[in-house]
């Protein structure tokens, strides 16, 4: 729908329904409808979702699905998969789904044979990864590569870093990966520590190849390598991943050692393409392709399943339900998997850079809240830190719990304990414990209120067989499409990120004020001026 979704009849119907439902407790919803738990589940590939612990009934889901239809979600999905320029503010197609289409798929967009080009790059990446893994690729001194250092930031860092951590159990070639992103010199210093230049390969990853942090870190890495092995070593120790061949060449990396992608892949949607090169070197091309197949399974589910049985659609609509009708501001993502410890950070870019917008695609201001704040930590660590607020605080924090049946390596039944914690938490959050129940245990009356567990705190539980390349791909695709569903309802462009530009430009303009010999004459504002003076003073510079 073009126009204001919050003015639609469907929105009004949800508003009314919310008034009725907001006062009802999950305890009642379960008691009133014994078939509820069995009915409110959905499967996508290997992912099983139980969404019965949501403050929603059959009617809620029907009303939300009607909202999705009103917002034109079916047409929007078809437009994305068909390569239409749905990124309107940048006039681009949005085709991360093409990065995982099978080789025999046909998609021609703006005259480009998209799938053919994707597979050509995948083949180049695979050949290179195999050479590094088999030790055929040698560094300048003839030694094989032992460590790959990915230098990138944002989408050129979080995806491969998250996935490498998630899939460490599959890193079988004796090659480890490290990730450098921050302009803070501590990052590269810490990551170069203990490395031998002769066995280190740098993958400089940047869609634009103009990003200050990445180019600066890459220059530092280049200097470190050249100091040890000489200028001629660069071609054996540096490769690039980018859409910008001219800038790669300008930086001094041979474009024969460059792996490309295209402007229709957003940075935060890019690690299943060439930005995943460091991951592919670590886990191997076959595992990487299993991951792509996992993504594709959920893409197909999203494209074809009816909305009421469509996992990303349901989870996206429930996100809208809490965000816009209950006015919950955040959404916790709580993976019960240590390997997924970077998943919440990865999701923060995916979701918040995509949907943190306050104008619609047509430029008009939004009239409903957009962009949930995503945050989280792996369970059970979170339980001993912030779950107090989830259980007894005054805020409503809907949460996604993610667990796996099979561990990679178990010790003394620890994995069952981990899963028991996941299940116990979602149950306690939903059903809580009443004052009567607590009093009946002999708790002194004055302590009873402190111990009451209000419950009625909604959660999704996603259970998968095992954290594998395929299930990771499925999970990531799930969240990518949740973002799409929410963005479509809100009517925003989920694929641009103009909001990050001003701060970057101001930092560039401000840097000379910190470093120049002469104290600067002008400042952007009085507070910043005072902080610049203080900083110069602390650094022993003239003020
Ligand atoms: O890959 P690059 O062009 O270096 O961009 C890296 C990152 O920086 C930008 O500021 C954007 O906000 C991100 O979406 C992007 O992933």
């Amino acid at each position: 729908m073009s126009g204001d979704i919050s003015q639609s009849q469907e929105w009004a119907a949800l508003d009314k329904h919310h008034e009725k439902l907001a006062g009802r407790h999950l305890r009642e919803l379960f008691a009133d409808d014994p078939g509820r738990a069995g009915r409110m589940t959905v499967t996508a590939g290997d992912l099983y979702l139980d969404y019965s612990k949501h403050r929603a009934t059959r009617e809620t889901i029907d009303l939300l699905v009607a909202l999705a239809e009103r917002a034109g979600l079916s047409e929007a999905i078809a437009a994305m998969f068909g390569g239409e320029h749905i990124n309107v503010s940048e006039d681009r197609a949005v085709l991360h789904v093409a990065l995982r289409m099978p080789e025999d798929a046909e998609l021609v967009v703006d005259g480009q044979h998209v799938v053919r080009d994707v597979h050509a790059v995948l083949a180049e990446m695979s050949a290179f990864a195999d050479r590094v893994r088999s030790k055929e690729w040698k560094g300048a001194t003839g030694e094989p590569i032992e460590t790959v250092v990915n230098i990138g930031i944002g989408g050129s860092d979080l995806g491969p870093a998250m996935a490498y951590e998630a899939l460490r159990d599959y890193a079988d070639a004796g090659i480890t990966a490290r990730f450098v992103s921050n302009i803070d010199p501590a990052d590269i210093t810490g990551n170069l520590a203990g490395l031998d230049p002769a066995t280190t390969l740098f993958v400089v990853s940047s869609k634009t190849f103009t990003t200050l942090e990445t180019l600066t870190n890459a220059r530092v890495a280049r200097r470190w390598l050249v100091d040890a092995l000489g200028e001629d070593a660069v071609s054996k120790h540096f490769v690039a991943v980018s859409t910008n061949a001219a800038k790669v060449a300008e930086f001094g990396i041979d474009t024969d050692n460059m792996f490309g992608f295209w402007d229709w892949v957003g940075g935060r949607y890019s690690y299943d393409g060439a930005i995943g090169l460091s991951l592919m070197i670590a886990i191997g091309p076959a595992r990487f392709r299993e991951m792509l197949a996992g993504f594709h399974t959920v893409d197909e589910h999203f494209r074809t399943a009816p909305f009421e049985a469509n996992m990303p659609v349901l989870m996206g609509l429930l996100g809208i339900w809490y965000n816009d009708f209950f006015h919950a501001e955040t959404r916790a993502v709580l993976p019960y998997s240590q390997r997924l410890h970077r998943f919440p950070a990865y999701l923060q870019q995916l979701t918040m850079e995509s949907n943190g917008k306050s104008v619609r695609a047509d430029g008009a201001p939004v009239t409903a809240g957009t962009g949930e704040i995503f945050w989280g930590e792996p369970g059970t660590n979170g339980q001993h830190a912030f779950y107090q607020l989830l259980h007894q605080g005054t805020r409503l924090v809907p949460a996604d719990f993610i667990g796996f049946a099979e561990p990679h390596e178990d010790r003394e039944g620890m994995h069952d304990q981990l899963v028991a914690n996941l299940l116990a938490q979602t149950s306690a959050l939903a059903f809580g414990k009443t004052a009567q129940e607590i009093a009946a245990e002999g708790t002194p009356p004055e302590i009873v209120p402190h111990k009451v567990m209000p419950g009625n705190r909604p959660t999704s539980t996603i259970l998968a067989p095992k954290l594998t390349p395929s299930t990771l791909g499925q999970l990531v695709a799930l969240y990518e499409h949740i973002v799409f569903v929410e963005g479509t309802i809100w009517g925003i462009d989920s694929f641009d990120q103009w909001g990050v530009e001003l701060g970057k430009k101001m930092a560039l303009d401000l840097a000379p004020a910190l470093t120049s010999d002469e104290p600067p004459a002008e400042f952007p504002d009085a507070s910043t001026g005072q902080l610049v003076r203080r900083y110069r003073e602390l650094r022993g510079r003239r003020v």
Side-chain angles (χ1 to χ4, degrees):
M1 151 172 179
S2 60
D4 187 348
I5 190 76
S6 71
Q7 296 305 311
S8 66
Q9 271 175 10
E10 290 76 3
W11 192 277
L14 277 158
D15 240 343
K16 224 161 138 213
H17 177 66
H18 173 257
E19 277 172 33
K20 268 196 333 210
L21 203 74
R24 304 206 61 203
H25 200 285
L26 276 166
R27 280 188 219 117
E28 298 167 65
L29 299 184
F30 271 77
D32 292 356
D33 177 6
R36 174 185 173 91
R39 203 179 57 245
M40 295 177 83
T41 65
V42 60
T43 304
D46 296 315
L47 308 179
Y48 173 87
L49 167 71
D50 180 330
Y51 63 101
S52 64
K53 294 193 189 82
H54 277 291
R55 292 170 67 175
T57 60
R58 206 190 284 257
E59 189 188 354
T60 321
I61 302 298
D62 289 346
L63 292 171
L64 286 167
V65 166
L67 184 75
E69 273 154 9
R70 173 62 180 232
L73 182 59
S74 306
E75 295 79 6
I77 293 171
M80 172 169 71
F81 279 86
E84 285 179 35
H85 285 210
I86 59 171
N87 176 354
V88 286
S89 81
E90 295 179 316
D91 191 17
R92 289 176 183 168
V94 173
L95 277 172
H96 45 277
V97 291
L99 296 175
R100 52 267 189 157
M101 284 181 182
E103 201 156 5
D104 56 4
E106 265 289 321
L107 183 60
V108 181
V109 172
D110 303 332
Q112 185 191 358
H113 281 269
V114 165
V115 182
R116 195 176 66 193
D117 290 357
V118 162
H119 281 270
V121 171
L122 266 177
E124 286 169 24
M125 289 167 66
S126 303
F128 179 71
D130 278 337
R131 287 178 73 194
V132 175
R133 287 165 59 81
S134 67
K135 306 190 190 317
E136 183 200 324
W137 178 277
K138 304 238 189 295
T141 63
E143 288 176 72
I145 299 303
E146 289 174 5
T147 310
V148 178
V149 180
N150 183 79
I151 299 179
I153 197 164
S156 300
D157 165 67
L158 287 161
M162 175 281 290
Y164 172 70
E165 290 296 322
L167 301 176
R168 281 185 95 109
D169 295 291
Y170 297 90
D172 56 356
I175 297 173
T176 49
R178 297 188 184 190
F179 296 85
V180 173
S181 53
N182 204 320
I183 191 80
D184 182 341
D187 196 8
I188 186 138
T189 304
N191 274 299
L192 291 180
L195 292 188
D196 176 357
T199 59
T200 301
L201 175 74
F202 293 97
V203 178
V204 185
S205 299
S206 174
K207 179 175 168 181
T208 56
F209 232 76
T210 57
T211 304
L212 174 78
E213 289 89 338
T214 301
L215 294 190
T216 309
N217 277 314
R219 263 198 306 277
V220 171
R222 196 176 196 282
R223 168 65 40 221
W224 176 83
L225 182 94
V226 167
D227 284 351
L229 302 178
E231 193 66 41
D232 289 349
V234 171
S235 64
K236 290 285 169 208
H237 294 268
F238 273 81
V239 299
V241 178
S242 188
T243 57
N244 193 340
K247 290 276 177 198
V248 169
E250 199 181 294
F251 180 82
I253 296 179
D254 189 342
T255 47
D256 283 351
N257 294 337
M258 170 181 150
F259 302 88
F261 59 117
W262 308 271
D263 70 0
W264 39 259
V265 183
R268 51 193 176 273
Y269 296 86
S270 65
Y271 98 84
D272 44 334
I275 292 291
L277 182 64
S278 51
L279 171 70
M280 188 195 265
I281 294 171
I283 66 170
R287 298 295 193 192
F288 195 88
R289 283 170 195 266
E290 283 170 28
M291 182 183 78
L292 298 184
F295 271 98
H296 184 65
T297 300
V298 170
D299 293 343
E300 284 303 282
H301 167 86
F302 179 53
R303 197 173 64 79
T304 58
F307 287 171
E308 51 287 340
N310 189 315
M311 195 181 292
V313 171
L314 288 168
M315 288 183 74
L317 290 174
L318 286 163
I320 299 278
W321 179 230
Y322 295 115
N323 189 76
D324 292 319
F325 296 92
F326 285 81
H327 303 296
E329 300 224 309
T330 83
R331 168 150 165 183
V333 178
L334 307 165
Y336 276 64
S337 163
Q338 190 58 30
R339 290 283 190 243
L340 285 182
H341 71 109
R342 295 291 285 157
F343 193 57
Y346 168 77
L347 285 187
Q348 283 179 330
Q349 188 198 10
L350 177 66
T351 62
M352 291 160 74
E353 201 169 64
S354 296
N355 282 345
K357 309 286 162 66
S358 45
V359 294
R360 297 198 310 249
D362 61 10
V366 297
T367 54
T370 65
E372 304 144 283
I373 299 165
F374 272 72
W375 62 283
E377 278 288 321
T380 59
N381 299 7
Q383 290 174 207
H384 296 270
F386 53 78
Y387 277 37
Q388 165 63 37
L389 182 148
L390 303 190
H391 283 291
Q392 287 188 316
T394 55
R395 289 173 197 283
L396 180 70
V397 184
D400 297 350
F401 281 70
I402 301 169
F404 300 92
E406 281 280 326
H408 278 276
E409 204 184 312
D410 205 359
R411 287 171 191 263
E412 298 176 28
M414 287 171 80
H415 186 76
D416 293 332
Q417 293 286 346
L418 175 70
V419 175
N421 271 277
L422 183 165
L423 301 176
Q425 289 295 330
T426 59
S427 180
L429 283 164
F431 304 110
K433 199 163 177 182
T434 62
Q436 291 88 318
E437 286 165 340
I438 290 163
E441 289 172 348
T443 305
E446 68 280 13
I447 303 301
V448 168
H450 297 279
K451 290 192 151 187
V452 169
M453 299 290 281
N456 215 16
R457 285 146 203 254
T459 58
S460 288
T461 303
I462 297 169
L463 196 58
K466 188 174 183 176
L467 180 56
T468 62
S470 171
T471 55
L472 180 70
Q474 295 176 42
L475 259 186
V476 173
L478 169 65
Y479 279 92
E480 286 178 348
H481 299 321
I482 290 171
V483 167
F484 186 84
V485 171
E486 295 187 345
T488 302
I489 306 281
W490 290 320
I492 59 182
D493 183 341
S494 299
F495 302 100
D496 61 13
Q497 58 284 316
W498 297 106
V500 302
E501 295 304 324
L502 177 62
K504 280 198 234 178
K505 177 169 183 313
M506 287 177 73
L508 283 180
D509 294 347
L510 204 56
L514 303 182
T515 55
S516 61
D517 293 336
E518 282 304 307
E522 273 182 55
F523 298 106
D525 61 82
S527 162
T528 307
Q530 142 182 304
L531 290 163
V532 168
R533 277 193 296 277
R534 180 75 181 152
Y535 178 80
R536 288 183 63 99
E537 229 171 78
L538 290 169
R539 296 292 312 250
R541 293 175 187 156
R542 285 182 49 208
V543 285

